[in-house]
Amino acid sequence: MSVVPIADEQNTKDVLALADGFLVQLCELDPLGASEEGFSKYDGKIGDLSPSAQEKMSNLAKDTINSLEVSQINDFKEQLCADVLKDYCTDIIDNYETLDWIRTINVLTNPLDTIHVTCYNVDTNDKEAIAKRDEKIEEIPQALATFKETMELGLAKNALPRRTQLTHMARNCAVFANDQLFAPTKAHRAFLRFGTFLLEDIIPHTNEKDAVGPELYARCAKRHLGKEIDIKETYAWGWHEIHAIFYEIEQVLRDLNPGGSYKETISMLENDESRTANSPEELREFLQNLLDDSVSKLNGTHFDIDPRMLKIEACTLEESGSSAMFYSTPSDDFSRPGRTYYPINGKNKFPLWEEVTTCYHEGLPGHHLHVGSIKCLGDDLSQFQKTLAFNTGESEGWALYAERLMVELGYSNDPAYVFGMLNASLFRATRVVMDIGLHCEFEIPQDAPEIYPHGEKWTPELAMKILEDVIGMSKVYAKDEVYRYLGWIGQAVSYKIGEQTIRDIRERERKRLGSKFSLKEFHSRLLGYGHVGLGRLEKLFEAQEGPTL
């Protein structure tokens, strides 16, 4: 596929048109990613998964930056668009030139899993949507053939993902091959052949060591966050947060389980039949009612929710590569609503004490409000800023911020659910020290809370044990989480760093404005910037520039 000109001569100096021209071309180069983002036009396509497509995307990013340099910036909205677009293009180029786009392929973020998820994220009552899904399934054999070229380049350049990630991807190939959607089609054999290719031709040449070291870790974390971090300082800060959250937990235990320990309380709640869903359908109904209640209580009071976003669906997924609930964005025209997906993975009982805060995280006021509100913004932002400019640090930071916000606003006041929120916050703080510790091979400090083994170096086995013993995860969930950290390098720190960035900005604004501070206006301003990295978000508030000023 040839790359078409960025913009015609008439629009060369129109920055928003430049950004949207970039968006269109990027979607053409990566239709699978475009479909995942919600651009329904591309729901029937997968596209080229080979190095050639990556090179074209890098060249597109370089051409876009060159065009930005000769573009005329007339006002704040154009400057914001130019800054966000340049940030995004710089990341694409860096990711390509360092070969990190191959090194960081993992069990969660890879084309195989995206194909699987997008084939299920379909309105089964829509004949056109079903037809597009069938077209996508038909394309799977050719797509996997091009993805094979990517793996072969990684082998030739000594840039393959770690063995753990590819081993699990190979196993998932067998799962996908026998999926009800794919088993009767040519995709069945294609998945099996790709899995065999990984096992026989690629995996024997991979690095068995999961830790990637501080250099690659720092690059990946910067892309996820939109700002650089000092790894050692962030590791120390993570432990500070863990101490602070344990103090909050102690206060809640006085009402929830007087005299009981943290671990005893988790065991109590895991076996609390009054707060347990006893089937997948009962879980889905509980989550749907919670989402509907959130919309009803938040709309018009703390947020003005666009009517197109009032519908959000709670869904379950029989099998997934992860145990964690996740969110799928609405289609570009909102004909397909935003959806939360809960992977069942063979379970039939679902303790609810920690699912409430997770539902707020994935739904409202978390991802659905954040991503959906930005999709609904008007012409002051380019379509690119409202979609593909998505930044993990800001998005996951907002979603974690939303969990605590529901407690602050008084909507989650059951002590069990407050405990669930704090446990989730402890989990995200533990992610910071665990993710950095695993990849940089740090030790657990001597002044860590007693529940953590002092002086031991982080290993996958130790990380799994801590998630089970400290956070209360099942063995399966803990294993999934650790494999996620080992593969999705630097992503796990996004939640807590993003949340803290937003809370720090909020407190600075509260001090600056005094009695004039409005939480609702603060949220509107933050969401009004569209998708931005954390570093740029800080600069925007420091400069006192924004859509509502």
Side-chain angles (χ1 to χ4, degrees), residues 320-346:
S320 176
S322 171
S323 299
M325 192 190 306
F326 62 91
Y327 173 69
S328 176
T329 63
S331 59
D332 50 337
D333 61 357
F334 289 87
S335 60
R336 183 185 71 235
R339 291 169 174 157
T340 62
Y341 282 91
Y342 190 105
I344 299 302
N345 292 344

Side-chain angles (χ1 to χ4, degrees), residues 299-507:
N299 189 28
T301 53
H302 302 288
F303 299 94
D304 293 321
I305 302 175
D306 189 285
R308 291 171 289 180
M309 290 170 50
L310 295 178
K311 182 178 181 181
I312 176 172
E313 296 178 349
C315 305
T316 57
L317 196 62
E318 287 301 314
E319 294 286 342
S320 176
S322 171
S323 299
M325 192 190 306
F326 62 91
Y327 173 69
S328 176
T329 63
S331 59
D332 50 337
D333 61 357
F334 289 87
S335 60
R336 183 185 71 235
R339 291 169 174 157
T340 62
Y341 282 91
Y342 190 105
I344 299 302
N345 292 344
K347 293 181 290 186
N348 52 32
K349 289 180 72 69
F350 308 89
L352 300 173
W353 64 276
E354 58 183 348
E355 301 303 347
V356 171
T357 198
T358 304
C359 191
Y360 291 147
H361 180 108
E362 301 297 340
L364 268 85
H367 286 314
H368 182 67
L369 180 65
H370 177 248
V371 175
S373 293
I374 291 174
K375 273 182 178 280
C376 294
L377 292 173
D379 295 336
D380 283 347
L381 296 183
S382 64
Q383 187 70 0
F384 163 76
Q385 290 169 272
K386 294 184 282 188
T387 53
L388 285 189
F390 172 92
N391 173 266
T392 307
E394 188 211 20
S395 180
E396 295 297 354
W398 171 269
L400 185 56
Y401 169 84
E403 293 186 40
R404 187 175 286 266
L405 179 67
M406 289 301 278
V407 174
E408 292 175 342
L409 296 177
Y411 294 128
S412 182
N413 51 21
D414 182 323
Y417 299 148
V418 175
F419 180 84
M421 181 277 292
L422 291 172
N423 190 64
S425 188
L426 177 65
F427 170 35
R428 273 40 174 263
T430 299
R431 271 181 171 176
V432 172
V433 299
M434 187 175 288
D435 196 47
I436 294 174
L438 282 168
H439 283 294
C440 300
E441 300 181 281
F442 290 168
E443 293 181 353
I444 295 175
Q446 295 296 331
D447 62 350
E450 291 183 3
I451 201 168
Y452 297 86
H454 297 173
E456 290 196 33
K457 181 186 289 187
W458 285 102
T459 65
E461 294 73 24
L462 176 61
M464 292 176 200
K465 187 175 187 303
I466 287 175
L467 289 177
E468 291 175 45
D469 293 348
V470 178
I471 306 301
M473 284 186 179
S474 67
K475 286 184 180 294
V476 172
Y477 198 165
K479 190 175 182 180
D480 285 347
E481 277 297 309
V482 173
Y483 287 147
R484 167 183 175 161
Y485 308 152
L486 295 175
W488 209 355
I489 305 162
Q491 192 270 353
V493 302
S494 302
Y495 301 74
K496 199 63 184 169
I497 293 176
E499 180 206 26
Q500 191 61 50
T501 299
I502 293 171
R503 294 186 69 83
D504 287 346
I505 293 172
R506 188 180 79 174
E507 289 314 300

Side-chain angles (χ1 to χ4, degrees), residues 161-310:
R162 292 308 203 253
R163 180 168 298 183
T164 300
Q165 303 303 312
L166 292 182
T167 299
H168 282 79
M169 284 175 59
R171 291 173 184 168
N172 281 347
C173 283
V175 174
F176 297 154
N178 293 298
D179 185 280
Q180 61 182 352
L181 286 179
F182 306 134
T185 73
K186 294 178 181 179
H188 169 79
R189 187 179 179 191
F191 276 121
L192 291 179
R193 291 179 65 181
F194 191 80
T196 300
F197 161 71
L198 289 178
L199 289 169
E200 295 181 356
D201 297 345
I202 298 298
I203 289 174
H205 303 284
T206 55
N207 191 335
E208 292 185 77
K209 185 176 181 179
D210 291 304
V212 301
E215 184 177 341
L216 176 54
Y217 188 89
R219 291 202 303 268
C220 292
K222 181 179 182 295
R223 294 186 196 115
H224 286 302
L225 296 169
K227 70 175 183 179
E228 294 182 355
I229 59 170
D230 182 296
I231 292 176
K232 290 184 178 179
E233 287 182 3
T234 304
Y235 186 70
W237 169 78
W239 285 111
H240 175 271
E241 288 296 294
I242 288 172
H243 280 287
I245 295 165
F246 265 119
Y247 176 78
E248 291 184 276
I249 287 173
E250 289 173 4
Q251 313 312 305
V252 174
L253 290 183
R254 294 176 181 176
D255 294 327
L256 179 61
N257 188 22
S261 69
Y262 166 72
K263 293 178 68 174
E264 289 170 345
T265 303
I266 290 178
S267 178
M268 178 189 77
L269 293 173
E270 283 291 298
N271 295 284
D272 182 354
E273 288 297 326
S274 69
R275 296 188 181 93
T276 296
N278 292 300
S279 68
E281 180 56 27
E282 189 177 327
L283 172 69
R284 193 203 64 77
E285 289 181 4
F286 175 84
L287 296 176
Q288 186 64 62
N289 289 337
L290 195 62
L291 291 170
D292 293 343
D293 189 55
S294 299
V295 172
S296 174
K297 289 178 176 177
L298 293 174
N299 189 28
T301 53
H302 302 288
F303 299 94
D304 293 321
I305 302 175
D306 189 285
R308 291 171 289 180
M309 290 170 50
L310 295 178

Side-chain angles (χ1 to χ4, degrees), residues 87-158:
D87 290 344
Y88 191 90
C89 289
T90 299
D91 280 347
I92 288 179
I93 297 166
D94 178 67
N95 200 34
Y96 175 74
E97 293 183 346
T98 59
L99 293 177
D100 288 352
W101 67 278
I102 303 178
R103 288 190 185 92
T104 58
I105 291 171
N106 62 80
V107 69
L108 281 180
T109 58
N110 67 81
L112 310 181
D113 199 68
T114 305
I115 290 168
H116 177 244
V117 170
T118 54
C119 282
Y120 269 96
N121 192 23
V122 169
D123 184 352
T124 54
N125 295 316
D126 186 332
K127 292 182 179 180
E128 182 179 355
I130 295 297
K132 286 183 177 180
R133 183 186 68 187
D134 292 344
E135 291 172 13
K136 178 178 285 184
I137 293 173
E138 187 72 20
E139 194 180 326
I140 288 174
Q142 176 58 30
L144 295 189
T146 64
F147 192 41
K148 181 180 177 182
E149 295 177 36
T150 291
M151 291 293 102
E152 290 171 336
L153 177 64
L155 176 60
K157 297 289 188 179
N158 193 29

